[in-house]
Structure formats: structure tokens, C-alpha cells
Amino acid sequence: MKQMIKFEVKRMLRNPGFYIALLIGLIVSVVHWIVEVLPVVRGMDKYMSLDFALLYPPNLYNSWICEGNNMYSYLYLLILPILVTLPYAATFFSDVNNHLIEFICTRADKREYFYAKFTAVFLSGGIVSCVPLIFNILLCTAVVPTIKPQAAASTSNMVPKGSFSALLFTHPAVYVAISLIVIFLFSGALAAFALNVAFYSNHIFTVLLAPLVLNVFLSALFQLLNLQSWEPSNFINPAYSSPRMIPFVVETAVLLIITGWEFIYRGRQEDIC
């Protein structure tokens, strides 16, 4: 099993789509840093030279890309369902249509192939979603102080009812880490969803766009039901100021269980290799 997972992960790292997705995410992160963060940094000298007794200085936790409802945060979360499919989600479709799966299954156990494929696709989605965000945090760390945000300063959109809101003001690094884990897990689940679509479609673009369609459908559905916290773009947003952990856990778990069970079970039953 370990050897097959290593094999699939190496294939993922050799896939041009992996680096294209990373590049797109990194471009959004860098542009945010240049347009939103650097202008604030240029005003730091003025802040330090004058007495702003009631003005809290800019800091990492109110400057990084997912800090608030800025255009770049919205754009990143909007394109995320597409980014997570580019690295590796369509390779199962390619393996079947190119008959590569037949070659692999003659040299390895069929069950191991489906487990390894699911694992590699899940990891690919999580990695490409979080690496640009971590890079943005590092860029911000280089130019703004990493002091704790203060609730009284009104520099954060977070309110007491928000999930883990107390952590943001007491242990902000832990809050950011939890937010990245949330994005990683849901992005991996979205990428894995594309695997199942390959069973039902004869077109690779359908596979690539399936997570985006699912994301739009869920957002529209919960918008109609007036359940905004259940919209994926909200519950994975670290700046969302309403309870969001239950929607995240439920939707991610359901997506992973259904997707994982159908892909691995049906893959073992289907006569595709």
C-alpha cells in the first residue's frame, strides 16, 4: 500500500497541473500582498513617529489574505474549486481512457490502486489550496509585526459568536492554523469528489468542473434556505464571523464518506482493469 501511495504521489508531483494550480494561487497571494499590504507598511514610519494613542498598529493577523472580506480573499475562495482539480483529480479519468489502469493493475493490487489514487487526489487538493495562503502569511510576516489583534481596536471582523473567536485574540497563530486545516480538508474533499464523476462522464472537462458546480449548487441551495453559514465559501473563510464548524464538519464528512466509499468500492467492483 505504501509503495502504491508513493507512486501516485510522485505522479502527482510530476503533473504540470499541480504547478499551474500552485502558480495561480501564488499570483493571487502576491498581488494581494503588493496591493493591500505594502501600502499599509509604507505608513508604518508615520505611525511610529507620531502619537496615535487610540490607533492599533497593523499586524499579521489583520493583514493576510484571508483576514477579511477583501477582493483577493473572495477571488481566491471563488477559484478554489477549480484550483483543487487541476493537480491530479482528472488523472483517474485519463488512466481509464488511456488504458494505463490496466497496466498498473497487472503489477499491483486493484484495491491498493484505488486507495492510493484517492489519497493522492485528496492531498493534491489540500496542498494547492494551502501553500499559497502559507506563502502569503510569510510575506506579511516579513513586513508587518506579528502582535496579537485586539478586539477593542476594531481591526478584525470577528465577533464573539464566531467559531474559535476567542483564539483569534488570545492565540492567533493557533486560530490561523485551524483555519488552514479547515481549508485543507474541505479542498481535499472537493478534489476527491471529481474522482466519482469520472464514472459517469465521457468528457474530462466535466470531471474538472464538477467541484465548481457542486460548490455553486451548495451555495445557492443554502442561500435559498437562509443558511449562510452552510455555504462552503463561508465556512472555509477564516474571517466569517458566524458559527461555521458544524457545517464544515458535516459537509466535509458527508462528502468524504460518500465519495470515498463509492470510488473505492465501485472501483473494485467495476471491470475497468
Side-chain angles (χ1 to χ4, degrees), residues 92 96 99 101-102 105 110 114 199 263-273:
F92 173 66
V96 173
H99 303 286
I101 190 172
E102 298 169 7
C105 289
K110 188 177 181 180
F114 283 96
F199 286 121
F263 178 72
I264 295 171
Y265 176 80
R266 181 172 179 178
R268 293 167 60 185
Q269 301 299 319
E270 291 269 337
D271 186 20
I272 56 177
C273 65

Side-chain angles (χ1 to χ4, degrees), residues 132-175:
L133 299 180
I134 294 172
F135 186 69
N136 181 264
I137 291 172
L138 294 176
L139 289 176
C140 293
T141 303
V143 294
V144 294
T146 56
I147 55 178
K148 292 181 181 179
Q150 296 293 325
S154 299
T155 57
S156 172
N157 293 324
M158 187 58 64
V159 295
K161 68 176 182 178
S163 296
F164 302 113
S165 58
L167 275 179
L168 179 61
F169 301 106
T170 56
H171 299 88
V174 176
Y175 180 85

Side-chain angles (χ1 to χ4, degrees), residues 39-231:
V40 174
V41 174
R42 296 189 187 102
M44 285 292 290
D45 290 340
K46 183 179 180 181
Y47 174 88
M48 297 298 292
S49 63
L50 299 176
D51 183 16
F52 289 114
L54 297 178
L55 184 62
Y56 200 68
N59 59 83
L60 168 64
Y61 304 107
N62 63 17
S63 299
W64 72 294
I65 187 171
C66 286
E67 168 273 335
N69 297 317
N70 60 76
M71 181 185 74
Y72 299 96
S73 174
Y74 176 79
L75 175 62
Y76 191 82
L77 296 178
L78 180 67
I79 65 174
L80 193 61
I82 297 177
L83 292 184
V84 299
T85 61
L86 288 177
Y88 207 55
T91 55
F92 173 66
F93 179 91
S94 301
D95 287 353
V96 173
N97 284 270
N98 297 334
H99 303 286
L100 180 61
I101 190 172
E102 298 169 7
F103 173 81
I104 295 174
C105 289
T106 58
R107 289 160 176 78
D109 184 74
K110 188 177 181 180
R111 178 181 61 88
E112 292 183 359
Y113 168 80
F114 283 96
Y115 273 111
K117 178 67 72 175
F118 185 87
T119 301
V121 170
F122 176 84
L123 290 176
S124 70
I127 291 170
V128 299
S129 66
C130 287
V131 167
L133 299 180
I134 294 172
F135 186 69
N136 181 264
I137 291 172
L138 294 176
L139 289 176
C140 293
T141 303
V143 294
V144 294
T146 56
I147 55 178
K148 292 181 181 179
Q150 296 293 325
S154 299
T155 57
S156 172
N157 293 324
M158 187 58 64
V159 295
K161 68 176 182 178
S163 296
F164 302 113
S165 58
L167 275 179
L168 179 61
F169 301 106
T170 56
H171 299 88
V174 176
Y175 180 85
V176 171
I178 291 174
S179 299
L180 291 175
I181 292 172
V182 167
I183 294 172
F184 184 99
L185 293 176
F186 187 73
S187 297
L190 269 184
F193 172 73
L195 289 171
N196 285 22
V197 179
F199 286 121
Y200 305 99
S201 175
N202 295 321
H203 303 283
I204 193 169
F205 288 108
T206 305
V207 177
L208 291 172
L209 294 176
L212 176 63
V213 173
L214 175 66
N215 190 69
V216 171
F217 170 77
L218 291 175
S219 296
L221 174 64
F222 291 119
Q223 186 70 240
L224 288 172
L225 296 175
N226 198 29
L227 297 171
Q228 284 77 17
S229 61
W230 287 76
E231 296 178 41

